[in-house]
Amino acid sequence: MSAETETKEVMKPAVKTDSKDFPMLEIDPSDTGLKVNPGAWKWPASWPYIGDYFDRESKESDADFYQRVSPSVYKNKIFENEAEESLQAHFKRFIPEGSNILEIGASAHSYIPKGLAQSRHVGIGLSKTEMDENSDLTEPPIEQDLNVNSYLDFEESAFDVVLITNSVEFFTRPKILFSEINRVLKPGGICMVTFTGKDAYKSFQDKQVKMWRDMNNAQHMWVIGSFFQFSGSSDWVELKGYDISPPSPQGFMSKFGGEKPGVYVTQARKGQEKITDPKVLIRKWVSQSPGLDSNEVEMCYLRLMADYNAAADQKGKDAVVEAAKKVPEIYCVLSGLAKGVLFPPFKALLSTRLATNGWNGSEAQILGLKEGLGMVPVDDTFWGPLGKLTMQIESEDKVLLLSEFVPLFGTEEGEGLVSAIIPSLESALKVVGEKLPSASPREVQLLSVDLILSDFVSAPSEKRGDFVQWLETVSSEDLQLWLHERCNYKEVKSHEST
C-alpha cells in the first residue's frame, strides 16, 4: 500500500517561514506541505457563523447557474502541470490502494494518481454530462444539488476516502454535509478538502459564499477545519492543513488574473471508535448550535432526553438521537431573530420540537419558520390569518403551533393540509364559542387549536372532511372537560417549571 498508514518516527520540529497568509509554524519537515498540525487549531465555544456568512451574490438556483456557466469552462482543469502533480502526490500519500472513494463536487476531471487502483469511485455533482466524461469514476454518477439536499444516500461506513476538490466554497449547509461525510466514512477513513485561490475561477464567483470572498487562504483553511470541528462529529482526528502549492502555477491557471492560485488541503480522519452513548451523542449535537450558552444547551439536552426516555421502543429512541443533529441547523435560522422576540426557553422548546417533528431543513420549511416568527413579511394565506385567529393564546402555545405547522411545508400532502387549516380553525372557533359561551377568548382559542392539532391535522386524510361535523356533535360538557384538562395541564407544567 502506498498510503501513509504506518507510524512515522517522530522528528524534531523545524521552524518554517510561510507565505504572507500563513504564520510561522513549527512543523514536522517530513510531512510535506504541513501548515497546521492537529494541536494548532483554536476554536470558539460554538458554531461561529451567523448572519450572512453563507449568502451568495447569485440567487439563481445552483442547477440553472451551473448549466448556464459551466459548459464554457468545465473542460479546463483548475490544476495542471506542476499543480496537478503536487495534488496527485498528496493523494498518493494518503489514499490506499483498492480504496472505495466518494468524490463530492465531481466534474469531468479527478486528480487521482495514475496507476492507483480503486475498488470503487463514486461521483456526486451538478452535471451528469460532465461526470460522464470522468474516466476515474467506476459507477454511474449522481446528479445532486447538495445545497438543496445535503444528505448522502449511502450506508454507514461505505467509503475509505472522501474527496472535495474546489467545491467547498459553494456549500451553504456544510455542517450537515460534513456530518454525513463522517457517517459514510469507515473508521480510520480520510476526508481531504482541496481548494485554491478564491480568484481562480471567476465564472463561478457569484456562487461562492460571502465569507469565502472576504477571506484569505489561511482563513479558508481554518474555515474548512471548523466544518470538521463543528459538524457534530467529535471523533474527527488528525485534522491537518497543507500548502502543497508549486513555486508558480502552470498551464491553464496562469491565465487567471489576481493572485496566483495555489494548492491547499484541509483533511481529517474518522476516529476508530464509534460513539454509542445516547446521552453523549445528544449533548454533542446540541452543543454545536450557534450562540448557545451552557444553560441553553442544557435546556435542549433535557428536552431531547425526556423524548428519548419516553420513546416506546429502540427505533423511537434512535429517532430522537438522529433528530438532535437537526437542532443546530434550526438555531442557525433562529439566530436571525431580533433580541427579545423569543426567549431562550422558548427557543429550546421550538428547536427540539421541530427537530423531532419532521424538520428537514428545506427552503420551504425555513421560509415557513421565518414567516411564522415574523422574520420576513407574511402573506394572507396562512400565517397572517393564523396570527389573527390565535392572538389571545400564550407564547408557549404559539411556539407549539409553529412546531406542528412548519414541518407541513414543502411537501404535496403538507401543503394541501396547510390550505385547509385556516377554514377548519375558523369553524372550530365558532363551534367552541357557541357551545362554551362563558369561556374567555383565550380559552376558546386554546381549545380550538388543540382540537385542530389532535383531531384534524393528526387525522387520516379521508377523515379530515368530517372534522367540523364531528365537532358539532360533541357536547358542551365534554368540551368543558377537555378545556379544564388543558388548562389544568398548563397550570401543573407552570408549577413544575418554578
Side-chain angles (χ1 to χ4, degrees), residues 88-109:
Q88 287 179 331
H90 188 83
F91 283 170
K92 188 174 183 179
R93 291 175 58 197
F94 292 101
I95 300 178
E97 294 274 355
S99 289
N100 292 326
I101 300 173
L102 173 63
E103 184 170 355
I104 293 175
S107 183
H109 308 289

Side-chain angles (χ1 to χ4, degrees), residues 254-275:
S254 63
K255 300 176 185 178
F256 293 104
E259 72 175 67
K260 293 182 179 180
V263 187
Y264 310 99
V265 184
T266 307
Q267 64 187 50
R269 292 189 182 277
K270 180 176 179 177
Q272 294 286 351
E273 295 185 7
K274 184 177 180 180
I275 300 174

Side-chain angles (χ1 to χ4, degrees), residues 52 105 419:
D52 63 354
S419 66

Side-chain angles (χ1 to χ4, degrees), residues 139-157:
E139 299 181 13
I142 300 170
E143 192 173 79
Q144 180 177 338
D145 184 349
L146 291 167
N147 288 332
V148 175
N149 175 16
S150 303
Y151 297 95
L152 303 175
D153 190 17
F154 301 103
E155 298 293 329
E156 289 189 20
S157 305

Side-chain angles (χ1 to χ4, degrees), residues 66 70 74 78 102-111 121-128 130-131 134 137 141-147 152 154 162-171 177 181 192-194 201 204:
Y66 199 79
S70 182
Y74 81 89
I78 293 296
L102 173 63
E103 184 170 355
I104 293 175
S107 183
H109 308 289
S110 295
Y111 295 94
H121 189 156
V122 183
I124 297 179
L126 282 173
S127 173
K128 182 178 184 301
E130 294 180 15
M131 292 185 286
N134 190 329
L137 302 183
I142 300 170
E143 192 173 79
Q144 180 177 338
D145 184 349
L146 291 167
N147 288 332
L152 303 175
F154 301 103
V162 175
L163 303 176
I164 304 177
T165 303
N166 294 328
S167 299
V168 72
E169 62 265 44
F170 304 111
F171 295 137
L177 180 58
I181 290 170
M192 290 184 278
V193 184
T194 304
Y201 21 62
F204 297 96

